[in-house]
Amino acid sequence: QVQLVESGGGLVQAGASLRLSCARSGRTFSGYRMGWFRQAPGKEREFVSGISRSGNTLYADSIKGRFTISRDDAKNTVYLQMNSLKPDDTAVYYCAAQDTMALFQVGRTIGEYDHWGQGTQVTVSS
């Protein structure tokens, strides 16, 4: 069974930076593509960023140029570096993973991920 544990959230002022981490545990027979999603109060969960097994990345337009996703497979960890944070970035951020044979494909929809973390709260004050 795969478990994902997010960390790094918090309360910051606009313009600040945070780095989210997602540690993955459990058996794997191939590899995982990873993603970050977020859900603000009263809104649907939305795609933020994804990274393929090979390191290809994809970003939502709203965060492009401010957020960077990366992965360290030796540590089974994926990161989301968030810079120039805005109040609109306030949300619960969720890590997602999918066991896949595909090396280059990045998942950007909820349905493309089988495993989810519990989420970490990010609050950005103005």
Side-chain angles (χ1 to χ4, degrees), residues 97-118:
Q98 184 187 27
D99 189 2
T100 178
M101 294 291 290
L103 286 175
F104 306 110
Q105 293 176 331
V106 181
R108 68 174 303 155
T109 65
I110 292 173
E112 292 179 273
Y113 293 92
D114 297 326
H115 309 287
W116 293 84
Q118 293 299 309

Side-chain angles (χ1 to χ4, degrees), residues 33-106:
R33 64 184 177 201
M34 306 294 295
W36 287 97
F37 290 73
R38 68 186 182 184
Q39 187 166 16
K43 295 186 177 181
E44 295 184 350
R45 192 171 299 189
E46 64 176 4
F47 171 78
V48 175
S49 182
I51 186 166
S52 71
R53 288 181 57 196
S54 65
N56 290 346
T57 58
L58 198 62
Y59 297 95
D61 289 343
S62 61
I63 58 87
K64 198 173 293 184
R66 298 188 296 122
F67 291 10
T68 302
I69 190 171
S70 62
R71 62 188 297 159
D72 185 340
D73 289 338
K75 297 181 179 180
N76 289 332
T77 301
V78 64
Y79 304 97
L80 186 67
Q81 177 67 43
M82 306 187 296
N83 298 329
S84 303
L85 283 161
K86 304 175 181 180
D88 285 347
D89 296 319
T90 296
V92 177
Y93 283 71
Y94 296 92
C95 175
Q98 184 187 27
D99 189 2
T100 178
M101 294 291 290
L103 286 175
F104 306 110
Q105 293 176 331
V106 181

Side-chain angles (χ1 to χ4, degrees), residues 14-37:
S17 298
L18 282 174
R19 188 176 80 155
L20 305 183
S21 299
C22 172
R24 187 185 74 245
S25 61
R27 297 183 64 187
T28 176
F29 295 101
S30 55
Y32 289 91
R33 64 184 177 201
M34 306 294 295
W36 287 97
F37 290 73

